[in-house]
Amino acid sequence: MNFQERVAVVTGGSKGIGKAMAQQFAAHGAKVAILDIDPAAGEAVVQSLHDTGQQAHFFHANVDDLASMERAATQVAHTLGKTDILCCNAGIYPQAFLETMTEADWDAVHRVNLKGMFFTLKAFLPLLKQSPQGRIILTSSITGPITGYPGWAHYGATKAGMLGFMRSAAIELAKYGITINAILPGNIETEGLGEIGAEYRRKMESVIPFRRLGKPEDVAYAALFFASDGAAYITGQTLVVDGGQVLPESSLALEDLQD
Ligand code: NAP
């Protein structure tokens, strides 16, 4: 994989999966733009990439604000000249149970995860159209498209919604040679997931055939694949990165793994 001369933009790139995507694209030669609402963490990632001779810039941008994303697209164009790869990755996953879930809970998750993805794509589309190899990579989830979990109905709706959006977008964007694909991570060890707590983590490890949570890099490698030259003819597709979590048809299927 060689992304020299390409510019990769990653939303939510200050931490977790987005940070790993930014690091991997930079490690493979791309110039990277990290867009996030956490400037301290984002600047720290940029500094660590500069320390190893890689090219990266931080731009303060809020995906749920179209004006903010348009400003960021202008800044990326001014600083880096173009955008070839767009990772719509920023997302939130606060737990809320149906009986107490408020309209505000519902709206907050939809604003960032679904509207934020649309605003990101909308702001960067003029730049992507100018690229001979425009690539859009969405970070969806297994939760929603494949599985469910109490407290994440609103979240699952956004992550399934991203795939519905993607399939029509893929057809519209084909005329520009732009591909759009989605990664469906399982449970990945990130700052955000850490906030859910050790008990959740322990439960999850026990139901993943690999018996471990994923690393952010595991997801970033899938993004490299979708952005690679070899994936030029793949669009509107999904790739699950979950250590086999969605495979057992019941907990019985995992019992034989006990040692
Ligand atoms: P994370 O560790 O919480 O990192 C997300 C980053 O995005 C943070 O820096 C966060 O800033 C930032 N962010 C939040 N809202 C934003 C906004 N409105 N505009 C711009 N940046 C914003 O999250 P993660 O676990 O890496 O998750 C990244 C993506 O993967 C999300 O879309 C998530 O749904 C998806 N995903 C994660 C998992 C998992 O197990 N971790 C599994 C499936 C899917 P603050 O920290 O300041 O809020």
Side-chain angles (χ1 to χ4, degrees), residues 12 15 17 36 61-63 89 91 93 139-140 155 159 186 188 190 192:
K15 301 191 196 95
I17 292 170
D36 203 287
N62 185 344
V63 296
N89 168 77
Y93 38 92
T139 309
S140 173
Y155 173 78
K159 293 295 169 176
I188 311 296
T190 64

Side-chain angles (χ1 to χ4, degrees), residues 69-86:
M69 294 313 290
E70 287 173 342
R71 224 171 13 252
T74 304
Q75 289 169 331
V76 169
H78 185 255
T79 312
L80 294 160
K82 59 178 188 158
T83 297
D84 302 294
I85 300 158
L86 179 66

Side-chain angles (χ1 to χ4, degrees), residues 81-146:
K82 59 178 188 158
T83 297
D84 302 294
I85 300 158
L86 179 66
C87 299
C88 300
N89 168 77
I92 57 171
Y93 38 92
Q95 203 172 16
F97 295 93
L98 288 178
E99 285 175 65
T100 49
M101 188 188 292
T102 62
E103 186 177 352
D105 293 331
W106 174 270
D107 285 347
V109 169
H110 279 73
R111 245 190 2 253
V112 178
N113 296 4
L114 206 45
K115 201 151 87 169
M117 169 204 61
F118 166 57
F119 284 170
T120 304
L121 188 152
K122 194 167 171 58
F124 279 88
L125 188 53
L127 288 173
L128 284 168
K129 279 168 62 178
Q130 292 167 29
S131 170
Q133 299 129 312
R135 301 294 165 82
I136 301 168
I137 298 151
L138 310 178
T139 309
S140 173
S141 176
I142 58 169
T143 311
I146 302 176

